[in-house]
Amino acid sequence: MTDTTVFQRPHRIRFSECDPAGIVFYPQYFVMFNDLLEAWVDAITTGGFHDMIGRQQVGMPTVHLEADFKAISRMGDDVVLSLAVEHMGSRSLRLVLRCIGTDGVLRMQVNQVIVTTSLVTHKAIQIPDALRQAMQAYVLPQEVVAGEGAA
């Protein structure tokens, strides 16, 4: 993934994210990635995630999730959490989320499909125009997607 199409944040693995073995308890990765998604929406939209949920009544539930655990992360490890849009449809988007150690080792990757919904009807809706335009900068070029899929 290229830096121009990736939203990323540094993260230090916390004690509360680890199991008794001293490594990240796997569900905590999903919490980290959900926090990253919320930070992304906050960064790319005027009102942020709170406005989208509260005022606009637009939800972004997960409808499909695939996870690959490649290497362990321990308490105190510094990692980079990243997010990119692999594909954007009219009502959904497919994200690639990664946790990479500062040593460059991929620790964990998630492929996630999110659907935009009305929080009034709980039915799928078109991705709002302002959100779509803001997300467009994070859509991976097709040649990158093709290259990622081959790995």
Side-chain angles (χ1 to χ4, degrees):
M1 289 189 259
T2 62
D3 287 339
T4 58
T5 56
V6 177
F7 178 79
Q8 55 188 18
R9 291 285 186 259
H11 180 80
R12 176 162 291 155
I13 302 299
R14 305 286 179 207
F15 173 76
S16 63
E17 296 166 335
C18 296
D19 63 17
I23 61 176
V24 171
F25 181 46
Y26 73 93
Q28 291 297 330
Y29 279 114
F30 301 117
V31 174
M32 289 180 224
F33 287 143
N34 191 72
D35 290 346
L36 183 68
L37 173 73
E38 190 170 333
W40 178 52
V41 174
D42 284 348
I44 66 172
T45 63
T46 303
F49 197 78
H50 177 266
D51 182 70
M52 188 177 72
I53 299 287
R55 187 183 65 75
Q56 297 178 46
Q57 297 286 288
V58 174
M60 295 177 68
T62 298
V63 296
H64 183 77
L65 195 62
E66 294 177 9
D68 291 308
F69 301 88
K70 303 290 190 176
I72 64 171
S73 295
R74 291 184 170 86
M75 181 180 66
D77 284 357
D78 288 315
V79 297
V80 174
L81 303 175
S82 67
L83 174 154
V85 179
E86 188 176 71
H87 174 77
M88 190 178 330
S90 62
R91 299 174 182 213
S92 66
L93 53 144
R94 190 169 48 246
L95 303 175
V96 178
L97 301 118
R98 292 183 172 159
C99 174
I100 300 174
T102 54
D103 56 2
V105 173
L106 176 63
R107 309 291 177 85
M108 200 271 193
Q109 177 173 309
V110 166
N111 296 310
Q112 179 180 23
V113 177
I114 292 175
V115 173
T116 47
T117 63
S118 161
L119 293 179
V120 175
T121 66
H122 297 286
K123 296 189 186 294
I125 60 171
Q126 298 288 321
I127 297 171
D129 289 338
L131 186 59
R132 172 180 294 286
Q133 289 173 352
M135 290 178 170
Q136 198 63 46
Y138 297 90
V139 176
L140 295 171
Q142 274 308 112
E143 60 273 11
V144 172
V145 172
E148 295 288 340

